[in-house]
Amino acid sequence: MKTTWVMVGCVVAVALWAGHDRLLAGDTSMKKSESGPLWVYDSKAGGLVESAHVTLSEAEWKAKLPRDSYEIMRQHATERPFSCGRLKDRGEGTYTCKGCGLELFVSDSKFDSGTGWPSFFQPIHTNNVGTTTDYLIGYPRTEVHCKRCGSHLGHVFEDGPRPTGLRYCINGASMDFVPADADAVKEP
């Protein structure tokens, strides 16, 4: 029994060594490539548009983001379940990256997973979110990050509803909610 635990400990240590220190240091190179053009979906344009990668120093990210958002998005922390206001968002709208404003999810894809984090069955477009494998808790998970700024958003799991069967489990502090009528022009 003791040998089994030693082997498990070694596997966890190797997994953590393989990426944990770089992720905690804010190294986003593991998540995105900044070479070549970046094409993202823009709902106002109704399709893909060319966009620049958003690259800030850690000091700039600290100044830009609230503390909880910074810890989640740049240091890969996770908010406590049922603690974020994004769970209560109602109505039609778009969820955007708190770091760079990129559109990530629409309210039509949000569902109550019962997990305590906002959950979506698909992103607004596959070009707007990226994924990578992380080993932060000792076994592989699929991390979700913003394609434009590389910020950590949450994780995606294969236990979601139809039609995709996916559950994008996203930290609420990593997103803003823009109601659909926010851009509506009011007539006198």
Side-chain angles (χ1 to χ4, degrees):
M1 180 82 160
K2 186 176 182 181
T3 304
T4 302
W5 284 110
V6 170
M7 290 176 60
V8 168
C10 290
V11 169
V12 169
V14 169
L16 292 173
W17 177 81
H20 182 65
D21 57 336
R22 289 175 56 195
L23 288 172
L24 286 180
D27 181 358
T28 59
S29 65
M30 293 176 63
K31 295 187 277 312
K32 65 180 175 62
S33 168
E34 293 187 16
S35 62
L38 173 65
W39 290 91
V40 296
Y41 178 79
D42 183 297
S43 63
K44 289 181 180 144
L48 296 177
V49 297
E50 190 170 0
S51 178
H53 289 277
V54 173
T55 306
L56 301 176
S57 70
E58 288 311 303
E60 291 170 317
W61 282 118
K62 275 185 179 178
K64 177 180 178 69
L65 297 169
R67 182 177 177 202
D68 60 337
S69 298
Y70 174 80
E71 290 173 357
I72 290 164
M73 299 174 74
R74 307 309 303 171
Q75 296 183 323
H76 302 265
T78 299
E79 64 197 3
R80 290 186 334 268
F82 302 101
S83 67
C84 77
R86 297 281 72 99
L87 279 172
K88 299 175 184 144
D89 291 332
R90 298 291 182 252
E92 294 181 21
T94 305
Y95 292 86
T96 62
C97 175
K98 190 177 279 295
C100 70
L102 182 65
E103 296 172 304
L104 301 170
F105 302 94
V106 294
S107 56
D108 290 349
S109 68
K110 186 178 180 190
F111 68 98
D112 183 2
S113 66
T115 62
W117 290 278
S119 297
F120 305 86
F121 60 80
Q122 69 185 19
I124 192 167
H125 195 281
T126 56
N127 281 33
N128 292 30
V129 297
T131 59
T132 192
T133 302
D134 83 30
Y135 296 90
L136 292 178
I137 60 173
Y139 61 86
R141 296 180 299 171
T142 304
E143 178 198 4
V144 178
H145 59 272
C146 173
K147 228 11 169 348
R148 185 159 53 195
C149 70
S151 291
H152 171 77
L153 302 172
H155 293 86
V156 62
F157 303 95
E158 295 180 352
D159 61 1
R162 293 178 189 245
T164 64
L166 298 175
R167 174 175 53 96
Y168 287 83
C169 189
I170 307 299
N171 290 288
S174 68
M175 301 181 296
D176 288 319
F177 179 68
V178 181
D181 60 359
D183 292 329
V185 176
K186 294 182 181 178
E187 302 213 12

